[in-house]
Amino acid sequence: MIFSVQIKVMPLKELLDPQGKAVLGGLQNLGILAISDVRVGKNIVLQLEAATAEEAKQIAEEATKKLLANQVMEMYEISIS
Amino acid sequence: MIFSVQIKVMPLKELLDPQGKAVLGGLQNLGILAISDVRVGKNIVLQLEAATAEEAKQIAEEATKKLLANQVMEMYEISIS
């Protein structure tokens, strides 16, 4: 069975997010002043073959820990559909 | 009122996603073979001051169209909480 798995990877709240700060500056230069904070992370969508949703989750966790997220600097959230 | 707005920006389905292909190759090198496709996009979280959720959505749309997404190559999805 093929599962579609979505993984959001975001910089940890405690850390600076230079990309987010750059985007915030860009928005202000465009005159969009209602936005006070921007954080930029990744949204990764996988197609994954597994017997059950449980197994799909495990494979996605393994992929995330080994390659997709750097847990020293990032947090992640996995959802399966 | 402060709204937290999440914007997912993904490469259009019709287009190649070289970053996704690179990640897929990396996963295969790690021996994770159950994953057949990877697409990598952005997940952007904004803090935004607006009177209503409707207004927050409009500001987020404007920011996305002007700066966050390139509509020639990317699609986006906005959700507000």
Side-chain angles (χ1 to χ4, degrees), chain B residues 1 11 20 24 29 37 39 50 58 60 68 70 76:
Chain B
M1 210 169 142
L24 181 61
N29 288 339
D37 189 53
R39 294 187 80 79
Q58 272 170 23
L68 305 174
N70 169 359
Y76 64 87

Side-chain angles (χ1 to χ4, degrees), chain A residues 4-64:
Chain A
S4 179
V5 181
Q6 178 178 275
I7 303 162
K8 286 186 225 166
V9 180
M10 295 300 290
L12 287 174
K13 286 208 175 56
E14 300 73 31
L15 297 177
L16 279 179
D17 172 12
Q19 201 184 349
K21 290 279 169 277
V23 170
L24 181 60
L27 291 169
Q28 287 170 347
N29 287 340
L30 288 171
I32 302 174
L33 304 174
I35 295 170
S36 58
D37 189 53
V38 181
R39 294 187 80 79
V40 179
K42 282 176 285 185
N43 186 48
I44 301 162
V45 179
L46 307 176
Q47 302 302 317
L48 187 158
E49 169 85 39
T52 62
E54 189 51 44
E55 193 194 331
K57 179 96 193 271
Q58 273 169 24
I59 296 170
E61 282 267 354
E62 188 193 355
T64 304

Side-chain angles (χ1 to χ4, degrees), chain B residues 19-61:
Chain B
Q19 200 184 350
K21 291 279 170 278
V23 170
L24 181 61
L27 290 168
Q28 286 170 347
N29 288 339
L30 288 170
I32 302 174
L33 304 174
I35 295 170
S36 58
D37 189 53
V38 181
R39 294 187 80 79
V40 179
K42 282 176 285 184
N43 186 49
I44 301 162
V45 179
L46 308 176
Q47 303 302 317
L48 187 157
E49 169 86 38
T52 61
E54 189 50 46
E55 192 194 330
K57 179 97 192 271
Q58 272 170 23
I59 296 170
E61 281 267 354

Side-chain angles (χ1 to χ4, degrees), chain A residues 45, chain B residues 9-24 36-41 70 72-75:
Chain A
V45 179
Chain B
V9 180
M10 296 299 291
L12 288 174
K13 286 209 175 56
E14 301 73 34
L15 298 177
L16 279 178
D17 172 13
Q19 200 184 350
K21 291 279 170 278
V23 170
L24 181 61
S36 58
D37 189 53
V38 181
R39 294 187 80 79
V40 179
N70 169 359
V72 177
M73 299 174 63
E74 295 168 325
M75 50 153 288

